[in-house]
């Protein structure tokens, strides 16, 4: 009789379940996402995943001039980020949903704040010459 690994349901191929477990990193999805989002320009997410060489390169280029930071953030959010051993960093569906929502809210709030700031700058530029 074949022993089923933890988390395997009867009827599932135990070798497939074991292989899927081995292909999953022990790194935290939430930690990877927060590092990629908040400290990604410094390469902290790469260091956390064990990719020291690309972490140093990302640090020296300030997140690849912002492009590498954005790519790593999207890779993490789409659950395709991998550690140094090539294993995927996976999170629960709930963690991924929360990460997407929080990231989207912060981006939209940034756009709104930028628009408000630009509007006030435009209005003050228009009003100050008329007050003199």
């Amino acid at each position: 009789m074949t022993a089923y690994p933890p988390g395997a349901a009867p009827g599932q191929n135990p070798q497939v379940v074991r292989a899927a477990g081995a292909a999953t990193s022990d790194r935290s999805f939430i930690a990877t996402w927060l590092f990629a989002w908040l400290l990604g320009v410094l390469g902290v997410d790469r260091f956390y995943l064990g990719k020291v060489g690309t972490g140093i390169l990302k640090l020296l280029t300030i997140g690849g001039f912002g492009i590498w930071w954005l790519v790593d953030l999207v890779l993490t959010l789409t659950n395709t980020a991998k550690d140094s051993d090539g294993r995927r960093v996976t999170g629960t569906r709930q963690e991924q949903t929360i990460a997407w929502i929080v990231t989207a809210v912060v981006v939209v709030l940034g756009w709104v704040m930028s628009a408000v700031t630009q509007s006030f700058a435009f209005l003050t530029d228009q009003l100050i010459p008329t007050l003199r």
Side-chain angles (χ1 to χ4, degrees):
M1 178 160 203
T2 306
Y4 284 90
Q12 285 183 318
N13 186 337
Q15 284 119 356
V16 171
V17 173
R18 243 184 250 106
T24 303
S25 176
D26 57 348
R27 308 282 191 210
S28 165
F29 170 81
I30 293 292
T32 305
W33 166 63
L34 288 172
F35 286 145
W37 185 35
L38 301 174
L39 300 170
V41 294
L42 302 176
V44 174
D45 56 325
R46 290 281 172 153
F47 290 115
Y48 176 70
L49 293 175
K51 300 177 177 182
V52 177
T54 56
I56 292 171
L57 192 59
K58 193 173 175 184
L59 173 65
L60 294 176
T61 61
I62 314 297
F65 307 106
I67 297 168
W68 200 351
W69 167 81
L70 183 62
V71 168
D72 277 351
L73 180 61
V74 170
L75 286 174
T76 303
L77 286 171
T78 58
N79 206 22
T80 56
K82 295 182 179 182
D83 65 8
S84 60
D85 296 327
R87 298 176 298 173
R88 281 188 27 212
V89 177
T90 58
T92 64
R93 183 69 74 189
Q94 183 179 12
E95 290 173 342
Q96 293 171 325
T97 302
I98 290 170
W100 272 107
I101 291 170
V102 169
T103 303
V105 166
V106 169
V107 167
V108 169
L109 283 176
W111 288 340
V112 168
M113 292 302 294
S114 177
V116 168
T117 303
Q118 291 297 319
S119 298
F120 279 123
F122 175 76
L123 287 175
T124 55
D125 288 347
Q126 297 300 316
L127 289 176
I128 289 178
T130 60
L131 295 176
R132 289 185 185 170

